[in-house]
Amino acid sequence: DLVPNYGSVQIDTNPGGAEVFLNNEYVGVSPLNIKYKTIGDYQLQILKEHYLPITEIIKIENLKTTSIQKKLSENFGSINVIMSKEIYENQFGYKTFLNNREIKNKSDLNVIDVGTYALRIESAGYRHFEQVINITANNRTKIIAELKPDYRLVKVEAYTVIDNEKKPLFVPIYVDGKESFLVTPAKVQVLSRP
């Protein structure tokens, strides 16, 4: 008589969708049911992005189903960036960068692998905000980004030419449509714009 020399293994994870390896060989995505597997000890590896990996030895027994259920531990955190209303309403918008990579979709700040990151926020007319942050598992890191206006000193002059001679004009200076109470020539502090 032939004696069976195989068993089955059933692997389920919470959350599902984890990659499963037996003895470093990819066997599928959880939940997973593998039938007719040769009996013996196997190294089980379960991998899922943003979760801690699981590695352990399992035993597949003759004509039995080995049931494995694993809850995966999160290995990510998130960032909550708080900025002034003025920055949110800036007509030129703002850009967020993590390790010099632009985050175009702000929801990408909701799942960030554990680690240390360089956060930078840019908005036209404002100095960049920069901060090094540590992301830890299961934590929401709150960042209050205070962007300071970026002022430039501009020399303003007005001239007229009479008889081929350049003569200064003394005219009022307006900044962003508002009178500055200065007249030309003068140096005026203005917010830098693109």
Side-chain angles (χ1 to χ4, degrees):
D1 283 335
L2 293 175
V3 178
N5 196 21
Y6 59 83
S8 301
V9 63
Q10 187 173 350
I11 301 166
D12 194 13
T13 62
N14 180 15
E19 294 180 321
V20 178
F21 297 81
L22 289 177
N23 288 347
N24 296 319
E25 178 186 328
Y26 175 77
V27 292
V29 174
S30 65
L32 182 64
N33 192 10
I34 304 169
K35 297 182 179 184
Y36 307 111
K37 194 73 179 161
T38 304
I39 61 172
D41 291 341
Y42 289 85
Q43 181 187 46
L44 169 70
Q45 289 179 294
I46 300 174
L47 305 174
K48 184 170 175 74
E49 186 177 29
H50 306 304
Y51 290 84
L52 291 173
I54 294 175
T55 302
E56 64 182 47
I57 301 298
I58 62 168
K59 184 177 207 70
I60 297 178
E61 298 181 59
N62 199 26
L63 298 177
K64 292 186 179 176
T65 298
T66 301
S67 182
I68 309 288
Q69 295 185 357
K70 295 292 179 184
K71 176 160 179 37
L72 303 179
S73 297
E74 294 176 349
N75 195 31
F76 65 88
S78 62
I79 301 173
N80 180 23
V81 178
I82 300 170
M83 289 188 287
S84 69
K85 182 178 176 186
E86 180 182 14
I87 299 299
Y88 278 116
E89 294 176 352
N90 183 345
Q91 64 180 339
F92 302 109
Y94 67 95
K95 293 180 180 180
T96 304
F97 298 85
L98 272 184
N99 291 348
N100 293 319
R101 184 179 64 86
E102 184 177 1
I103 305 297
K104 295 190 183 216
N105 184 349
K106 301 307 178 228
S107 67
D108 289 346
L109 295 174
N110 291 329
V111 178
I112 300 174
D113 287 330
V114 168
T116 301
Y117 295 87
L119 171 70
R120 186 176 78 248
I121 299 171
E122 298 178 357
S123 185
Y126 293 85
R127 292 188 199 119
H128 301 337
F129 172 85
E130 296 180 331
Q131 185 172 334
V132 174
I133 55 174
N134 277 319
I135 301 300
T136 56
N138 302 315
N139 284 321
R140 187 162 184 82
T141 302
K142 180 178 173 181
I143 303 294
I144 299 174
E146 294 184 32
L147 278 71
K148 308 237 185 273
D150 188 15
Y151 290 103
R152 303 276 191 237
L153 201 56
V154 177
K155 186 176 182 180
V156 181
E157 299 175 308
Y159 294 95
T160 188
V161 177
I162 300 174
D163 297 327
N164 286 333
E165 190 177 327
K166 193 167 142 184
K167 302 211 181 218
L169 291 175
F170 302 99
V171 294
I173 298 173
Y174 289 78
V175 177
D176 289 332
K178 296 178 186 160
E179 188 173 359
S180 68
F181 302 104
L182 296 172
V183 293
T184 60
K187 290 185 179 178
V188 180
Q189 196 173 36
V190 295
L191 193 61
S192 69
R193 297 273 161 84

